[in-house]
Amino acid sequence: MKIHFLGTCAGTEPMMGRQHMSFVIETRGALYWFDAGEGCSRTAHIKGLDLLSVKAVVISHPHMDHTGGLANLIWNISAISANYGLPHKFGELLLFVPLKNVWSGAETLLDADGASYKRRLSVVPCLMTDGVLFDDGAVKITAYHNMHIRRAEGEPWRSFSFRIEAEGKAIVYSGDIRELQELDSAIGEGCDCAITETGHFKIDAVHAYYAEKNVGCVYFSHNGREILGDSEGSREKVAALFGCRGVIAEDCMTVDV
Ligand SMILES: [Zn+2]
């Protein structure tokens, strides 16, 4: 399977060459989309990914650096379907959200634009909870709540991390987290790679955490000012600490798992 990084920036101010968080897993002719930061569908289309193959979209939490491109993603799938006279491959698109408003906000924008997407695509919103979100036999996605967004007693959890299993491999995606130890459950006995948000953590802390874990490769994404402020120095530091097991992900980067 492949991981396509579409946006690798945290919710900082706009950064040259980096857009907000989004990546896609490609396996068995389908795309599984994680977070939808600004411009993610544009980047995917320009990169040559087939937007008509998006089977599921998973939004880790409601912050704008993870949701700003959601309405545009749906609109672009519909536009490509109309322009090329081709149907969406799966007819319906499963959308996993941690909060109803993430979809209703995007839907309001799409409806204000004439709701033309409804003629070509059925979006099925599903409210996220802990446990297996999705299992189509090819890909299994399990959600684990984290403390990035605190909740009042009795309220539902609003931010999640994920374990994604496909082709006999496992990928852990942190979403945004408060403490790296919140990933313990998703990593379990280990995983082949970990896509880790580094917008809230220093390189040394990420290295110390993964030194104890059975994890193949660590991809730094959702990069913040700490890493982007000195890109060259950060790359050298990651290389020195992790060797080839650590990579600072870039927008448009594709890796094989
Ligand atoms: Zn974020």
Side-chain angles (χ1 to χ4, degrees), residues 1-233:
M1 84 185 114
K2 291 181 189 302
I3 302 172
H4 304 285
F5 291 96
L6 305 176
T8 57
C9 192
T12 63
E13 78 274 21
M15 294 274 187
M16 183 67 81
R18 297 244 183 204
Q19 292 195 303
H20 287 158
M21 188 63 204
S22 182
F23 70 92
V24 166
I25 290 178
E26 179 179 12
T27 179
R28 298 188 190 179
L31 300 179
Y32 302 82
W33 205 283
F34 288 83
D35 282 330
E38 56 183 350
C40 56
S41 55
R42 178 184 189 279
T43 303
H45 179 69
I46 300 292
K47 196 173 155 49
L49 297 182
D50 177 11
L51 292 187
L52 300 179
S53 300
V54 181
K55 191 166 193 181
V57 176
V58 178
I59 303 293
S60 65
H61 65 290
H63 291 165
M64 190 58 75
D65 54 320
H66 301 254
T67 60
L70 178 58
N72 192 233
L73 165 61
I74 305 301
W75 192 88
N76 272 333
I77 293 172
S78 167
I80 288 166
S81 174
N83 292 348
Y84 293 91
L86 294 169
H88 178 256
K89 205 164 164 182
F90 304 104
E92 61 179 29
L93 184 146
L94 297 176
L95 171 64
F96 295 94
V97 290
L99 186 70
K100 198 165 52 104
N101 290 0
V102 171
W103 170 237
S104 60
E107 189 179 33
T108 299
L109 275 176
L110 289 158
D111 285 351
D113 191 36
S116 56
Y117 78 95
K118 284 183 179 162
R119 292 200 295 273
R120 305 179 192 99
L121 181 67
S122 169
V123 177
V124 182
C126 313
L127 210 51
M128 201 182 293
T129 55
D130 281 321
V132 176
L133 285 187
F134 175 84
D135 187 353
D136 63 356
V139 174
K140 179 181 172 186
I141 303 169
T142 308
Y144 300 83
H145 74 263
N146 63 50
M147 300 297 286
H148 177 61
I149 300 178
R150 294 187 193 278
R151 63 165 190 175
E153 189 66 31
E155 281 187 350
W157 296 106
R158 290 182 178 178
S159 59
F160 290 83
S161 306
F162 305 95
R163 185 178 178 90
I164 305 146
E165 293 163 282
E167 300 184 21
K169 305 268 179 74
I171 298 168
V172 167
Y173 170 44
S174 64
D176 282 14
I177 47 179
R178 188 166 291 270
E179 303 286 348
L180 287 158
Q181 287 70 21
E182 291 168 4
L183 298 175
D184 287 356
S185 303
I187 292 172
E189 298 294 303
C191 60
D192 295 277
C193 78
I195 299 168
T196 305
E197 74 106 336
T198 50
H200 299 98
F201 305 101
K202 294 187 185 301
I203 295 169
D204 289 320
V206 176
H207 178 255
Y209 176 70
Y210 282 110
E212 312 271 307
K213 298 289 177 193
N214 177 26
V215 171
C217 190
V218 178
Y219 292 100
F220 287 55
S221 196
H222 189 272
N223 297 295
R225 296 166 66 100
E226 165 89 12
I227 283 171
L228 301 180
D230 177 14
S231 298
E232 199 49 49

